[in-house]
Amino acid sequence: MLLVLARSLAALAAGADDSPHLQVMLQMATDLGDPIVRALVLARIADRRTAQRRTVTGGPSAMASLVEAIVLLDNEGGVAAHRVSAHELVASTLEELALWELADEHRRLISDLLDPKAATVWDATAWLQRRVNDYNRLHAALDWASAHAVVGDWASAERIAVNMLSTGTDRADDDWPDLWAAEYAANRHLLTAVAGWQELRSDVPAVDAMGLAIRASRSGDHATASALAGIIIGQLHVQIPENTRLWCLSMTVRQPGTSPAAIRYSDELAGLRWQDRLDRLDDIRDVIATERCRHELDRPRQQLIVNGRAVNSAVIGEAPAVSSARPASSC
């Protein structure tokens, strides 16, 4: 399966379609019979489909693969490193879809699974996965807080920022890649501005200016925020979240002299986009709940199959398969 994954990544690097390789991986995971490995492959498929729909019109939806991956992760067992990777891909896909509330649930599960106090044979892998989760948690928190700020919900933006700053890693370790360390420091600096915490200087003038623009916007000084945001557009050479970039553009249009109708139009578009996000969040929660019930109701049939195999094994003198205990159905 690792060899097929390598072929998939090579296809991506060459600008080719890697979906045939992903389908081979899915069949291999199904044959393996490990629900966590299947969840990992489905999450990768969902992640790829979400990325593709950013650049092409139409194409297969990520939703079916994403929902099945989420439900399969309810199963116990499996290799911890596989489970963490599956949660990471699920969270990243949900964040790309602006479904941060659900993504946050998976990030919390990742943090629990990567508890440094729990020593395992996968310590070296867990160390790397912990770095990835630290970086992505901060990036997602800034994206989420920025989206709240765009629609004027400063209370929620501040709550998200304070929670992340209080629980996340203060700074990148010396062993982080230089680019990661720079982006982490920049995003944390901007989150500090969203939270209204004591102003700190970064090593990047454009990031400092963005932080000042955020503080000006917080205080209602839209003229200063607009002037600063207008200057730094295109000057930020570190990666910032998509909604932070949109927020920067939103500040820019609020310069003195802008037609009130144009500002109102911008605000109403942002409000409609936000409401559409909330509707999609409710929809996927309903779909996940339905899929979980379907899996619960399907377990008796699966148990009959397992029991049937056990009887047949006993007849031919083989040891029966042992199934893990399952919680009672809530459906």
Side-chain angles (χ1 to χ4, degrees):
M1 190 177 293
L2 288 175
L3 177 59
V4 181
L5 174 60
R7 290 170 179 163
S8 166
L9 296 175
L12 281 178
D17 180 15
D18 69 329
S19 57
H21 300 298
L22 293 177
Q23 291 304 315
V24 171
M25 289 177 64
L26 183 59
Q27 185 58 57
M28 294 173 73
T30 301
D31 294 341
L32 188 62
D34 185 333
I36 305 306
V37 173
R38 181 175 170 82
L40 174 56
V41 177
L42 284 167
R44 182 168 294 280
I45 290 172
D47 180 65
R48 287 292 304 124
R49 288 178 175 175
T50 301
Q52 287 171 346
R53 289 170 74 87
R54 285 276 186 176
T55 57
V56 299
T57 302
S61 169
M63 200 60 66
S65 299
L66 180 61
V67 168
E68 186 178 353
I70 290 171
V71 174
L72 284 173
L73 284 170
D74 291 342
N75 288 278
E76 297 180 354
V79 176
H82 295 164
R83 183 180 290 276
V84 170
S85 295
H87 279 298
E88 174 60 46
L89 283 168
V90 165
S92 296
T93 304
L94 289 167
E95 287 156 0
E96 186 73 12
L97 295 170
L99 302 174
W100 299 287
E101 293 86 347
L102 289 176
D104 189 55
E105 295 174 11
H106 289 271
R107 295 239 167 260
R108 291 175 187 274
L109 289 170
I110 292 172
S111 297
D112 292 341
L113 288 166
L114 295 177
D115 185 350
K117 299 176 183 177
T120 71
V121 296
W122 294 94
D123 279 353
T125 301
W127 180 84
L128 293 171
Q129 290 178 320
R130 201 174 294 118
R131 297 294 185 278
V132 171
N133 190 49
D134 287 342
Y135 176 93
N136 287 338
R137 273 192 69 211
L138 186 80
H139 189 275
L142 179 56
D143 197 33
W144 190 6
S146 298
H148 275 286
V150 168
V151 295
D153 185 2
W154 275 104
S156 295
E158 182 176 333
R159 173 182 54 79
I160 292 165
V162 168
N163 179 66
M164 182 64 236
L165 293 169
S166 301
T167 61
T169 303
D170 289 343
R171 58 183 293 276
D173 294 336
D174 294 337
D175 48 19
W176 281 39
D178 291 342
L179 181 59
W180 280 29
E183 291 176 352
Y184 191 88
N187 288 341
R188 186 174 175 85
H189 180 85
L190 298 181
L191 262 184
T192 302
V194 175
W197 284 15
Q198 181 180 357
E199 182 178 347
L200 302 172
R201 293 192 63 80
S202 78
D203 297 329
V204 183
V207 173
D208 278 333
M210 182 66 184
L212 291 172
I214 291 173
R215 293 177 189 277
S217 183
R218 272 181 59 94
S219 65
D221 184 357
H222 298 302
T224 299
S226 174
L228 288 166
I231 292 172
I232 63 177
I233 289 291
Q235 293 187 17
L236 279 171
H237 299 301
V238 293
Q239 182 180 0
I240 61 172
E242 177 67 12
N243 281 282
T244 308
R245 185 185 67 82
L246 292 176
W247 185 16
C248 191
L249 292 172
S250 176
M251 292 183 206
T252 303
V253 302
R254 295 175 186 277
Q255 58 188 307
T258 300
S259 165
I263 293 175
R264 181 179 174 185
Y265 177 70
S266 173
D267 289 343
E268 292 199 9
L269 279 181
L272 289 171
R273 186 167 175 259
W274 185 259
Q275 188 57 52
D276 176 69
R277 186 192 83 83
L278 294 178
D279 290 342
R280 288 187 292 109
L281 179 61
D282 288 341
D283 288 344
I284 191 172
R285 278 179 166 155
D286 288 343
V287 173
I288 291 170
T290 300
E291 184 68 7
R292 279 182 169 141
C293 278
R294 190 185 70 77
H295 273 248
E296 288 285 332
L297 295 172
D298 194 46
R299 278 178 180 160
R301 184 181 68 82
Q302 294 296 331
Q303 191 61 51
L304 284 174
I305 295 173
V306 170
N307 290 341
R309 287 174 180 166
V311 170
N312 290 334
S313 297
V315 169
I316 62 175
E318 295 177 355
V322 179
S323 62
S324 60
R326 301 285 188 181
S329 172
S330 59
C331 298

